[in-house]
Coordinates of all heavy atoms in Angstrom, one line a residue:
L152 N 37.1 229.3 86.8 CA 35.8 229.6 87.6 C 34.7 228.8 87.1 O 34.4 228.7 85.8 CB 35.5 231.1 87.4 CG 34.2 231.7 87.9 CD1 34.2 231.5 89.5 CD2 34.1 233.1 87.6
L153 N 34.0 228.2 88.0 CA 32.7 227.5 87.6 C 31.5 228.3 88.0 O 31.4 228.8 89.1 CB 32.7 226.1 88.4 CG 31.3 225.4 88.4 CD1 31.0 225.0 87.0 CD2 31.3 224.2 89.3
F154 N 30.7 228.5 87.0 CA 29.4 229.3 87.3 C 28.3 228.2 87.3 O 28.0 227.6 86.3 CB 29.2 230.3 86.2 CG 27.9 231.1 86.3 CD1 27.5 231.6 87.6 CD2 27.1 231.3 85.2 CE1 26.3 232.3 87.7 CE2 25.9 232.1 85.4 CZ 25.5 232.5 86.6
A155 N 27.7 228.0 88.5 CA 26.7 227.0 88.6 C 25.4 227.6 89.2 O 25.2 227.4 90.4 CB 27.2 225.8 89.5
P156 N 24.7 228.3 88.4 CA 23.5 229.0 89.0 C 22.3 228.1 89.1 O 22.2 227.0 88.5 CB 23.2 230.0 87.9 CG 23.6 229.4 86.6 CD 24.8 228.5 87.0
S157 N 21.3 228.5 89.9 CA 20.0 227.8 90.0 C 19.1 228.3 88.9 O 19.4 229.3 88.2 CB 19.4 228.2 91.4 OG 19.1 229.5 91.4
V158 N 18.0 227.6 88.7 CA 17.1 228.0 87.7 C 16.5 229.4 88.0 O 16.4 230.3 87.1 CB 15.9 227.0 87.6 CG1 14.8 227.5 86.6 CG2 16.5 225.6 87.1
E159 N 16.3 229.7 89.3 CA 15.7 231.0 89.7 C 16.7 232.1 89.4 O 16.3 233.2 89.1 CB 15.4 231.0 91.2 CG 14.3 230.0 91.6 CD 14.7 228.6 91.6 OE1 15.9 228.3 91.9 OE2 13.9 227.7 91.3
E160 N 18.0 231.8 89.6 CA 19.0 232.8 89.4 C 19.1 233.1 87.9 O 19.3 234.3 87.5 CB 20.4 232.2 89.9 CG 21.5 233.2 89.8 CD 21.4 234.4 90.7 OE1 20.6 234.4 91.7 OE2 22.1 235.4 90.5
M161 N 19.0 232.1 87.1 CA 19.1 232.3 85.6 C 17.9 233.0 85.0 O 18.0 233.8 84.1 CB 19.3 230.9 84.9 CG 20.8 230.5 85.0 SD 21.9 231.6 84.2 CE 21.7 231.3 82.5
Y162 N 16.7 232.5 85.5 CA 15.5 233.1 85.0 C 14.6 233.6 86.1 O 13.6 233.0 86.5 CB 14.7 231.9 84.3 CG 15.5 231.3 83.1 CD1 15.7 229.9 83.2 CD2 15.9 232.0 82.0 CE1 16.4 229.3 82.1 CE2 16.6 231.4 81.0 CZ 16.8 230.1 81.0 OH 17.5 229.4 80.0
P163 N 15.0 234.8 86.6 CA 14.1 235.4 87.6 C 12.8 235.8 87.0 O 12.7 235.9 85.7 CB 14.9 236.7 88.1 CG 16.0 236.9 87.1 CD 16.2 235.6 86.3
E164 N 11.8 236.0 87.8 CA 10.5 236.3 87.3 C 10.6 237.5 86.3 O 11.4 238.4 86.6 CB 9.5 236.7 88.4 CG 8.5 235.6 88.6 CD 7.6 236.0 89.8 OE1 6.9 236.9 89.8 OE2 7.8 235.2 90.8
N165 N 9.8 237.5 85.3 CA 9.8 238.6 84.3 C 11.0 238.8 83.5 O 11.3 239.9 83.0 CB 9.5 240.0 85.0 CG 8.2 239.9 85.7 OD1 7.2 239.2 85.3 ND2 8.1 240.6 86.9
T166 N 11.8 237.7 83.4 CA 13.0 237.7 82.5 C 12.5 237.9 81.1 O 11.6 237.2 80.6 CB 13.8 236.4 82.5 OG1 14.2 236.1 83.9 CG2 15.0 236.4 81.6
P167 N 12.9 239.0 80.4 CA 12.4 239.2 79.0 C 12.8 238.1 78.1 O 13.9 237.5 78.2 CB 13.1 240.5 78.6 CG 14.1 240.9 79.6 CD 13.9 240.0 80.8
K168 N 11.9 237.7 77.2 CA 12.2 236.7 76.3 C 12.9 237.2 75.1 O 12.5 238.3 74.5 CB 10.9 236.0 75.9 CG 11.1 234.8 74.9 CD 9.8 234.0 74.8 CE 9.8 232.9 73.8 NZ 10.8 232.9 72.7
I169 N 13.9 236.5 74.6 CA 14.7 237.0 73.4 C 14.0 236.4 72.2 O 13.7 235.2 72.1 CB 16.1 236.5 73.5 CG1 16.8 237.0 74.8 CG2 16.9 236.8 72.3 CD1 16.8 238.5 74.9
E170 N 13.7 237.3 71.3 CA 13.0 236.8 70.0 C 14.1 236.9 68.9 O 14.4 238.0 68.5 CB 11.8 237.7 69.6 CG 10.7 237.8 70.7 CD 9.9 236.5 70.8 OE1 10.1 235.6 70.0 OE2 9.1 236.4 71.8
L171 N 14.6 235.7 68.5 CA 15.6 235.7 67.5 C 15.2 234.8 66.3 O 14.8 233.6 66.6 CB 16.9 235.2 68.1 CG 18.1 235.1 67.1 CD1 18.5 236.5 66.5 CD2 19.3 234.5 67.7
D172 N 15.2 235.3 65.1 CA 14.8 234.5 64.0 C 16.0 233.7 63.5 O 17.0 234.3 63.0 CB 14.4 235.5 62.8 CG 13.9 234.7 61.6 OD1 13.9 233.5 61.7 OD2 13.6 235.4 60.6
I173 N 15.9 232.4 63.7 CA 17.1 231.5 63.4 C 16.8 230.8 62.0 O 17.5 229.8 61.7 CB 17.5 230.6 64.5 CG1 16.3 229.7 64.9 CG2 18.0 231.3 65.7 CD1 16.7 228.5 65.8
K174 N 15.9 231.3 61.3 CA 15.6 230.9 59.9 C 15.3 229.3 59.9 O 14.7 228.8 60.8 CB 16.7 231.3 59.0 CG 17.0 232.8 59.1 CD 16.6 233.5 57.8 CE 16.5 235.0 58.0 NZ 17.4 235.7 58.8
N175 N 15.9 228.7 58.9 CA 15.6 227.3 58.7 C 16.1 226.4 59.8 O 15.6 225.2 60.0 CB 16.2 226.8 57.4 CG 17.8 226.8 57.4 OD1 18.4 227.5 58.2 ND2 18.4 226.0 56.6
L176 N 17.0 226.9 60.7 CA 17.5 226.1 61.8 C 16.4 225.5 62.7 O 16.6 224.5 63.3 CB 18.5 226.8 62.6 CG 19.8 227.3 61.8 CD1 20.7 228.1 62.7 CD2 20.5 226.0 61.3
D177 N 15.3 226.3 62.8 CA 14.2 225.9 63.7 C 13.3 224.9 63.0 O 12.4 224.3 63.7 CB 13.5 227.1 64.1 CG 13.1 227.1 65.5 OD1 13.6 226.2 66.2 OD2 12.2 227.9 65.9
S178 N 13.4 224.6 61.7 CA 12.4 223.8 61.1 C 13.0 222.5 60.5 O 12.2 221.7 59.8 CB 11.6 224.6 60.0 OG 12.6 225.1 59.1
I179 N 14.3 222.3 60.7 CA 14.9 221.0 60.2 C 15.6 220.3 61.3 O 16.0 220.9 62.3 CB 15.9 221.3 59.0 CG1 16.9 222.3 59.5 CG2 15.2 221.8 57.8 CD1 18.1 222.5 58.6
M180 N 15.7 219.0 61.1 CA 16.5 218.1 62.0 C 16.2 218.4 63.5 O 15.1 218.2 63.9 CB 18.0 218.2 61.7 CG 18.3 217.8 60.2 SD 20.0 217.8 59.8 CE 20.4 219.5 59.7
E181 N 17.2 218.9 64.2 CA 17.0 219.1 65.7 C 15.9 220.1 65.9 O 15.1 219.9 66.9 CB 18.3 219.7 66.3 CG 19.4 218.7 66.3 CD 19.1 217.4 67.1 OE1 19.0 217.5 68.3 OE2 19.0 216.4 66.4
G182 N 15.8 221.1 65.1 CA 14.8 222.2 65.3 C 13.4 221.6 65.0 O 12.4 221.9 65.7
K183 N 13.3 220.7 64.1 CA 12.0 220.1 63.7 C 11.6 219.0 64.8 O 10.4 219.0 65.2 CB 12.1 219.4 62.4 CG 10.8 218.8 61.9 CD 11.0 218.3 60.5 CE 9.8 217.5 60.0 NZ 10.1 216.8 58.7
M184 N 12.5 218.2 65.2 CA 12.2 217.1 66.0 C 12.1 217.5 67.5 O 11.5 216.8 68.3 CB 13.3 216.0 66.0 CG 13.6 215.4 64.6 SD 12.2 215.1 63.5 CE 11.3 213.9 64.4
R185 N 12.8 218.6 67.9 CA 12.7 219.0 69.3 C 12.2 220.4 69.3 O 12.9 221.4 69.5 CB 14.1 219.0 69.9 CG 14.8 217.6 69.8 CD 16.2 217.6 70.4 NE 16.1 217.8 71.9 CZ 17.1 218.0 72.6 NH1 18.3 218.1 72.1 NH2 17.0 218.1 73.9
K186 N 10.9 220.5 69.2 CA 10.2 221.8 69.1 C 10.5 222.7 70.3 O 10.4 222.2 71.5 CB 8.7 221.6 69.1 CG 8.2 221.2 67.7 CD 8.1 222.4 66.7 CE 7.9 222.0 65.3 NZ 9.0 222.5 64.4
G187 N 11.0 223.9 70.1 CA 11.3 224.8 71.2 C 12.7 224.7 71.7 O 13.2 225.5 72.5
H188 N 13.4 223.6 71.3 CA 14.7 223.3 71.8 C 15.7 224.5 71.6 O 16.3 225.1 72.5 CB 15.3 222.1 71.2 CG 16.7 221.8 71.4 ND1 17.3 221.6 72.7 CD2 17.8 221.8 70.6 CE1 18.6 221.5 72.6 NE2 18.9 221.6 71.3
F189 N 15.8 225.0 70.3 CA 16.7 226.0 70.0 C 16.3 227.4 70.6 O 17.1 228.2 70.9 CB 17.0 226.1 68.5 CG 17.8 225.0 68.0 CD1 17.5 224.3 66.8 CD2 19.0 224.7 68.7 CE1 18.3 223.3 66.4 CE2 19.8 223.6 68.2 CZ 19.5 223.0 67.0
D190 N 15.0 227.5 70.8 CA 14.5 228.8 71.4 C 15.1 228.8 72.9 O 15.6 229.8 73.3 CB 13.0 228.8 71.4 CG 12.5 230.1 72.0 OD1 13.1 231.2 71.7 OD2 11.6 230.1 72.9
G191 N 15.0 227.6 73.5 CA 15.6 227.5 74.9 C 17.1 227.7 74.9 O 17.6 228.4 75.8

Side-chain angles (χ1 to χ4, degrees):
L152 173 64
L153 167 63
F154 178 45
S157 64
V158 174
E159 296 72 35
E160 184 69 17
M161 280 302 282
Y162 301 120
E164 251 177 68
N165 302 325
T166 303
K168 183 169 176 335
I169 300 304
E170 300 290 350
L171 177 66
D172 181 6
I173 57 169
K174 310 251 160 37
N175 65 336
L176 296 174
D177 219 15
S178 55
I179 55 168
M180 298 184 288
E181 295 302 290
K183 180 175 173 188
M184 306 317 296
R185 303 181 69 192
K186 282 279 166 238
H188 167 65
F189 285 135
D190 184 44

